[in-house]
Amino acid sequence: MEYFYYNSINKLVTIIFILVLVIDVTMVLGQGTRVGFYSRTCPRAESIVQSTVRSHFQSDPTVAPGLLRMHFHDCFVQGCDGSILISGADTERTAPPNSLLRGYEVIDDAKQQIETICPGVVSCADILALGARDSVLVTKGLTWSVPTGRRDGRVSRASDTTDLPGFTESVDSQKQKFSAKGLNTQDLVTLVGGHTIGTSACQFFSYRIYDFNSTGGPDPSIDASFLPQLRALCPQNGDGSKRVALDTGSVNNFDTSYFSNLRNGRGILESDQKLWTDDSTKVFVQRYLGLRGFLGLRFGVEFGRSMVKMSNIGVLTGTNGEIRKVCSAFN
């Protein structure tokens, strides 16, 4: 009986180990990508990207959230193929959802440095994926291993950006758009949690503080004590391009205060605040906050996992696509 017990336990441990190994291998390999893809062909690539991001961040902290959002916007449109980087008329870069993205110069800088030592080897799509990770690192977030091996796409159309979630989007609509990319509800809450760094322009939320849904008053989900602060930052009929922190009180720190703000009615974008008012997403916000009665999740760890999943959406590998010489133009 004792032998049977220990034999069963050993079998169970073996099965669990195999399952964990399969999960880990899947996370590392992704869909044709793998960690350390350039270890032989361009071993300095990742360190060059990291040092470039750090250098630009020191002189302009806005590049960190800019690169993180840029990677998200790239992956949600035709997959993570660097198509967001192409300049020119009617490209993704010119579409309204992408008009205020920033950080292109960081990618161009890193690419130029890499091309001098490893010409035609490292894709712009990979530089962007690495830059997004390093943006979290410079803002005091946890790091993660980025699978690489993506190739650059040859198509970039402004009309394809309808796949991107909007700032007024319902949770159901957000979940549908994420699900279409192979991402679940936890991934949704986790990745939107990237709003813990960066800002938004007044034009994207001022309607919430003055005339929500044509009611002549504010969005009732906004904390009443927070309203005067928002109105001072964004006066009615004022400068719509003025930037306001998405995570009040912690704009340049990658932490969980963003979720605390949602709980306290201090989410800036309507689509963000809905993560607290909708039960299906609220539970994950509560878990990241470690509230009593909810199984805790470590935001930094889960963010890295969700980023790996997202970074493998529709990737081009092998002989598909190309390795651009310049990130802003097709070869």
Side-chain angles (χ1 to χ4, degrees):
M1 187 70 178
E2 187 177 7
Y3 169 80
F4 175 79
Y5 173 78
Y6 282 109
N7 191 42
S8 298
I9 290 295
N10 286 337
K11 285 182 179 179
L12 179 60
V13 170
T14 301
I15 291 171
I16 292 173
F17 174 79
I18 291 172
L19 286 174
V20 170
L21 183 61
V22 168
I23 291 171
D24 285 346
V25 169
T26 302
M27 290 289 284
V28 171
L29 295 181
Q31 299 176 6
T33 60
R34 61 182 172 83
V35 172
F37 183 84
Y38 299 111
S39 59
R40 292 185 179 181
T41 56
C42 193
R44 290 182 55 202
E46 293 202 25
S47 63
I48 288 174
V49 174
Q50 187 169 122
S51 63
T52 304
V53 170
R54 189 174 298 279
S55 175
H56 281 265
F57 175 76
Q58 288 173 348
S59 57
D60 180 11
T62 67
V63 300
L67 291 172
L68 188 58
R69 310 253 204 286
M70 193 187 297
H71 183 44
F72 178 91
H73 285 218
D74 182 41
C75 292
F76 261 67
V77 181
Q78 295 201 45
C80 311
D81 64 350
S83 52
I84 186 72
L85 303 170
I86 296 297
S87 61
D90 298 321
T91 59
E92 289 176 36
R93 190 166 171 168
T94 67
N98 299 327
S99 61
L100 297 178
L101 287 179
R102 58 190 69 194
Y104 294 102
E105 70 281 4
V106 184
I107 303 301
D108 291 338
D109 186 0
K111 176 64 171 176
Q112 187 175 27
Q113 293 180 58
I114 290 172
E115 283 295 300
T116 61
I117 59 172
C118 310
V121 173
V122 181
S123 70
C124 298
D126 275 343
I127 292 174
L128 180 53
L130 291 166
R133 184 269 310 275
D134 296 334
S135 294
V136 172
L137 189 59
V138 297
T139 50
K140 305 175 184 177
L142 297 182
T143 189
W144 64 89
S145 296
V146 177
T148 46
R150 299 165 191 78
R151 287 169 67 84
D152 298 318
R154 296 192 178 102
V155 177
S156 182
R157 294 184 294 253
S159 58
D160 291 333
T161 59
T162 54
D163 284 348
L164 289 166
F167 59 91
T168 63
E169 205 116 8
S170 69
V171 167
D172 283 344
S173 180
Q174 290 182 66
K175 288 197 297 187
Q176 288 171 8
K177 288 187 174 182
F178 273 72
S179 178
K181 305 299 180 183
L183 301 170
N184 59 32
T185 304
Q186 180 177 322
D187 295 318
L188 161 62
V189 176
T190 305
L191 292 171
V192 174
H195 286 172
T196 181
I197 56 174
T199 61
S200 178
C202 289
Q203 61 185 297
F204 297 124
F205 66 89
S206 59
Y207 69 94
R208 294 186 67 213
I209 59 179
Y210 293 109
D211 188 22
F212 183 65
N213 289 344
S214 301
T215 60
D219 182 342
S221 67
I222 299 176
D223 172 27
S225 65
F226 186 47
L227 201 56
Q229 182 178 337
L230 287 180
R231 286 177 170 170
L233 291 168
C234 298
Q236 195 164 21
N237 301 318
D239 181 6
S241 64
K242 184 179 178 182
R243 310 294 299 189
V244 173
L246 284 166
D247 184 4
T248 303
S250 184
V251 64
N252 288 323
N253 290 320
F254 202 92
D255 53 28
T256 59
S257 68
Y258 165 80
F259 297 113
S260 296
N261 278 325
L262 296 187
R263 177 187 59 188
N264 297 330
R266 296 190 168 210
I268 300 300
L269 301 179
E270 181 183 351
S271 55
D272 284 10
Q273 190 58 52
K274 285 175 177 175
L275 298 182
W276 178 257
T277 57
D278 185 283
D279 289 340
S280 67
T281 48
K282 180 178 181 178
V283 63
F284 292 106
V285 176
Q286 292 170 318
R287 290 173 73 179
Y288 284 136
L289 290 173
L291 298 182
R292 182 176 295 179
F294 293 90
L295 179 63
L297 288 172
R298 193 176 180 191
F299 175 53
V301 173
E302 297 304 325
F303 190 81
R305 289 176 178 169
S306 290
M307 284 291 285
V308 169
K309 286 177 67 175
M310 185 191 76
S311 72
N312 278 304
I313 296 173
V315 292
L316 300 172
T317 57
T319 58
N320 295 318
E322 63 183 16
I323 303 296
R324 288 185 214 138
K325 296 176 182 176
V326 176
C327 289
S328 59
F330 302 123
N331 290 343

